[in-house]
Amino acid sequence: MSQPPTGPVSPRAPPEASRSLEALRSLVEATTGTGQGFLEALVVNLTRSLGVKHALVGELSDEDPTRSRVLAVAWDGVLGAPFTYLLDGTPCERALSAGELAYYPSGVADLFPRDEALARKGIQAYMGCPLLGPGGKRLGILVVLHDQPLEEATEPRTILTIFANRAAAELAALRSEDRLRDREATLRYALAAARMATFDWEPEAGRSAWSDGAAGLLGLPPGGFDGSLEALAAALVPEDRPALAECATAAAEGLKDTLELEYRVRTPDGGERWLQHRGRVALGPDGRAARISGVLADVTERRRLEASLQHAQKLDAVGRLAGGIAHDFNNLLTVIRSYAELAEEELRDLPQALELVTPIREAAERASGLTRQLLSFARRQVLSPRVIEPAALVRELGKLLRRLLGEQVQLELDLPDGAWPVRIDPGQLEQVLVNLAVNARDAMPGGGTLRVGLAAQALGQAEAAPRLVPPGDYLAFRVHDTGAGMDEATVAQAFEPFFTTKGPDRGTGLGLATCHGIVTQAGGAIWLDSQPGRGATVTFLLPRHTGPVGQEPARPPPAAGGAEVLLVVEDEEAVRAVAARALGLLGYRVLVARDGEEALLVAAAAGRLDLLVTDLVLPRLDGHQLARRLLEARPGLRVLYTSGYSDQAPSAAAGAFLQKPYTPGELGRAVRGALQGAAPPDGQRG
């Protein structure tokens, strides 16, 4: 089996076969361990058994195959520190590229001059055997080095090859263990990031296993959860325990192939967390559950988002109803206010009669305020948004708020310099703040403090999603009172329309609902935080605006008459009559029609027509369609649209717009402005 040596043999050395057998025996006895311990014992005992100076085991990196990372090395028979070296120009590179043992019995430093370490350590002889894994994949290399020439013999090669195979197996096992540990660590990190835990339950055997994050999800300290069904039930709020028991029993008896349940647990701070328990049921031969495995997930945020969406949908539905009511009510108020204003003009010289009419007009104006609140809540009010400095607005409004709050309530303003500008209708922002101040005053009948503050707030995706707004920069308005506060059930209903705690004689229940509509229409969000005995804080956000601050709009010109011919189209007879009367008193020649088809006939019979005044919602032919048809025949015709809805307002290029309810004076100014405005250009009419 042995071959004669190619070099001189020392007369003191034992026969080659006997020496190799002894070396192999000592290596086997010294390397009985596994893993890293085996590799370290191997390199130390290779130096002793083969009589060489140095030995090492190197591992190839999947990320950088040009380098080898030494896992174990023995210098002069003593373990050294691991290191990494470049393979380029080394005998190891030659052995790895050939995929077989490389043997250089002498002069190796001269053969590989680019490997400076060989010359630096005075290496003369080299033997390296690749470590091959499954499929011949190169995992690393086993190397022995000597500072003297080595006898070229078969047995040392055989020994090195045998232990290279063993080292390759250990290296493959170490890699598998590392990958397993990496996967387990990745799974732990992923479960922690997703706020999830895994479980494995064997009902018949009474065994269960949970991942490390289960205790934290259940609101228990580390080590405070033993994995039993009893301990799980104890962590739940009492109301949810029966549902857990029922679900677990049904799954264990094989009555369902999945386990799915949501329940609540108490958090360390006294709050609640929603968890979802989901698993698959594996049935045994007896038809009962042999194993149930799955995950426990924190779904609190999902629940919160669902609740926010449901609340928004409910408010939107009620808002559409409120908007419809406000539209019909606006027609009635247009008639009442218009006739009251016309009557006041006629009765100016009859004080006793005037006293009977003026309260009618004032009551109608208060009713108009109510419809504005309904439209604000429904987000269908005509707005005049502009970029404003909120600190200046709040500071000026503070004078009114102090009178509104009375002497027993102190007003504190926290208005930092340089507060971000926002874009909103100033009147609507004032309405929000006044509504909140009134609510706060009523919550402090014995006196207290109302604090209004501004602060910059940047929302990321996680903070913005529950508020149903996009991420970005917002200006936060915080209105805090020191009143009695509210319980959780009251807070949940606070923004619902017509909900009030003030009693039927003190409130309409539209204050916070209106605030919600205004803030939402401006692209922001609003919410309420309160606890009994700890006051209440309403926070609302408005998007930061980076444009220039606007100026106060100019006052509209006074109503003026004229001799033009107007066509008034309105399906509500009373509104049509009062509009025609008011415009007739201003000197206009007024034609009327009750729908779009009739308006076309009236216009066709009229020789001259200067302005179309039309409601947007009409039978048979709506206002836009009517205007488009008339403009085709009369390109110079001006158009004034009217409606109770802001979302029906046309673009400025399509025509002027007047929201209901309006007074004769407002109608007169709108007509004059429409007549003096430019005609809509081609392609933008109607």
Side-chain angles (χ1 to χ4, degrees), residues 498-520:
F498 311 112
F499 174 80
T500 179
T501 59
K502 300 178 183 179
D505 58 336
R506 295 193 58 198
T508 63
L510 285 172
L512 286 179
T514 298
C515 294
H516 181 277
I518 290 173
V519 171
T520 305

Side-chain angles (χ1 to χ4, degrees), residues 120-290:
R120 188 168 60 250
K121 286 187 172 292
I123 302 301
Q124 290 293 318
Y126 171 96
M127 190 184 302
C129 188
L131 306 182
L132 304 180
K137 181 180 179 180
R138 295 172 178 82
L139 303 180
I141 191 166
L142 177 61
V143 176
V144 294
L145 305 166
H146 197 46
D147 59 355
Q148 299 292 329
L150 283 176
E151 299 173 349
E152 187 171 351
T154 301
E155 284 75 8
R157 297 190 189 192
T158 302
I159 292 172
L160 197 66
T161 301
I162 291 172
F163 280 92
N165 292 335
R166 174 72 191 282
E170 293 297 332
L171 184 55
L174 284 173
R175 284 192 167 192
S176 297
E177 292 174 3
D178 288 342
R179 284 195 292 270
L180 180 60
R181 282 192 294 269
D182 288 343
R183 284 196 293 267
E184 290 175 345
T186 300
L187 179 60
R188 285 196 301 271
Y189 296 147
L191 289 172
R195 297 193 60 77
M196 299 174 70
T198 60
F199 71 90
D200 188 61
W201 179 33
E202 299 177 59
E204 291 291 332
R207 291 191 295 268
S208 65
W210 292 75
S211 61
D212 294 341
L217 286 177
L218 294 170
L220 301 173
F225 177 52
D226 63 10
S228 67
L229 185 61
E230 293 77 11
L232 176 62
L236 273 60
V237 299
E239 298 87 347
D240 293 350
R241 292 170 188 169
L244 173 65
E246 179 182 353
C247 186
T249 300
E253 293 179 354
L255 300 179
K256 52 172 64 178
D257 57 3
T258 60
L259 183 151
E260 186 166 348
L261 179 68
E262 292 187 5
Y263 46 72
R264 294 164 293 168
V265 298
R266 295 293 184 189
T267 58
D269 60 1
E272 287 183 352
R273 177 185 296 139
W274 277 96
L275 301 180
Q276 183 185 65
H277 207 137
R278 301 182 65 187
R280 299 287 298 180
V281 180
L283 299 179
D286 59 355
R288 296 174 61 85

Side-chain angles (χ1 to χ4, degrees), residues 64-77:
D64 186 2
T66 64
R67 294 176 179 271
S68 175
R69 182 169 64 95
V70 173
L71 300 178
V73 60
W75 302 115
D76 296 321

Side-chain angles (χ1 to χ4, degrees), residues 466-492:
R467 307 299 179 194
L468 303 181
V469 295
D473 291 338
Y474 291 84
L475 184 68
F477 293 72
R478 293 188 176 90
V479 182
H480 173 75
D481 67 67
T482 58
M486 309 177 200
D487 57 26
E488 187 175 344
T490 304
V491 170

